[in-house]
Amino acid sequence: MYPGFERDVFKTIADYFQKPSEPLLTFEFYELFINTLGLLQEQRVGVEALQICCLLLPPENRRRLQLLMRMMARIALNVEMPHLHEAIASRTLMIQTFSRCILRSEDEVDLDELFATRLVSFMMDHYEEVLGVPDHLQSAVEEHLAHLRRVQIKYADADADASLASRTICQKISSEEFKEPWRNPQAALTAQLEEIIMCKDMSVKEKKKKLKQFQKAYPEVYRNRFPTTESESVLFPEKSKLKTQLMFFTMRKSFQPFHRTRSFRM
């Protein structure tokens, strides 16, 4: 490397980020990020607010912002790195050089520089947290996705021949109808249960099996549909006891015990 190599590299990077006509935080979200400045006094609240705001950025902008912030923070903290400017400290130089690339309004108001300096300074100090996904949001999304996956119930038919096509109770629907259940998972589960109940192609044994599986997977939905055992028994009425009694009486009459008669010798 030659003397001044670091400055030339820094100038090349600065030119690359200053070239685009729109800042990384975009003109569309300028007001959004400006409104977070009032929350930066409390670190935890400020970090969470910026986390959510940064998730709204286009993926390309978010990735470039992440790389830029990492570079700025590392240069500012690297005491062994040669000075990039004779009179300005590395941290101040990073903020002055890149703040306009990160945040500015489309109309270029006078306070842009002040706002951008304050925001970029905070983001440099907490860039790893700010550009990460909030833990509570990640957990909520994972739980929601897991719930949506459970909505698609697959019933394994152990008695069916593996070579035969599996039976389904679904019909082809449009893309809008497909998206509708995700907006109301509870209604989708209720509709799924009703389809099982109303299906006439299943045998009683198979229907009972599927209902039992549904009850085990979604007890609350099942309980809302069948709040009592009486409401459940209506679906599968028992055979008439009278018929059973008549059959028993007929069998009993057919097999009367044999009575021995006394024999007389002549």
Side-chain angles (χ1 to χ4, degrees), residues 150 153 155 208-220 222-223:
R150 289 196 297 268
I153 307 174
Y155 298 104
K208 285 183 177 181
K209 180 180 178 181
K210 292 185 183 296
L211 287 174
K212 187 174 181 181
Q213 291 174 335
F214 191 98
Q215 182 183 19
K216 186 177 180 181
Y218 305 101
E220 293 184 4
Y222 191 88
R223 195 181 305 114

Side-chain angles (χ1 to χ4, degrees), residues 243-260:
K243 184 177 179 181
T244 305
Q245 292 176 354
L246 289 174
M247 289 180 63
F248 177 76
F249 178 76
T250 303
M251 293 176 63
R252 184 177 179 184
K253 187 175 181 180
S254 302
F255 295 96
Q256 289 291 339
F258 176 75
H259 296 283
R260 295 182 61 184

Side-chain angles (χ1 to χ4, degrees), residues 25 50 54 65 69 119-127 130:
L25 300 185
L50 288 174
C54 287
L65 178 64
M69 281 295 173
L119 182 66
V120 172
S121 178
F122 183 89
M123 293 180 71
M124 274 184 61
D125 294 335
H126 310 286
Y127 77 94
V130 167

Side-chain angles (χ1 to χ4, degrees), residues 104-132:
R104 72 175 186 275
S105 66
E106 195 169 6
D107 300 329
E108 294 275 0
V109 297
D110 295 336
L111 293 176
D112 272 359
E113 184 178 354
L114 178 62
F115 291 154
T117 298
R118 186 179 177 190
L119 182 66
V120 172
S121 178
F122 183 89
M123 293 180 71
M124 274 184 61
D125 294 335
H126 310 286
Y127 77 94
E128 290 184 344
E129 298 172 276
V130 167
L131 294 170

Side-chain angles (χ1 to χ4, degrees), residues 190-202:
T190 303
Q192 183 89 24
L193 178 58
E194 290 297 329
E195 287 182 8
I196 298 173
I197 295 172
M198 301 303 296
C199 183
K200 298 180 179 180
D201 296 332
M202 297 185 196

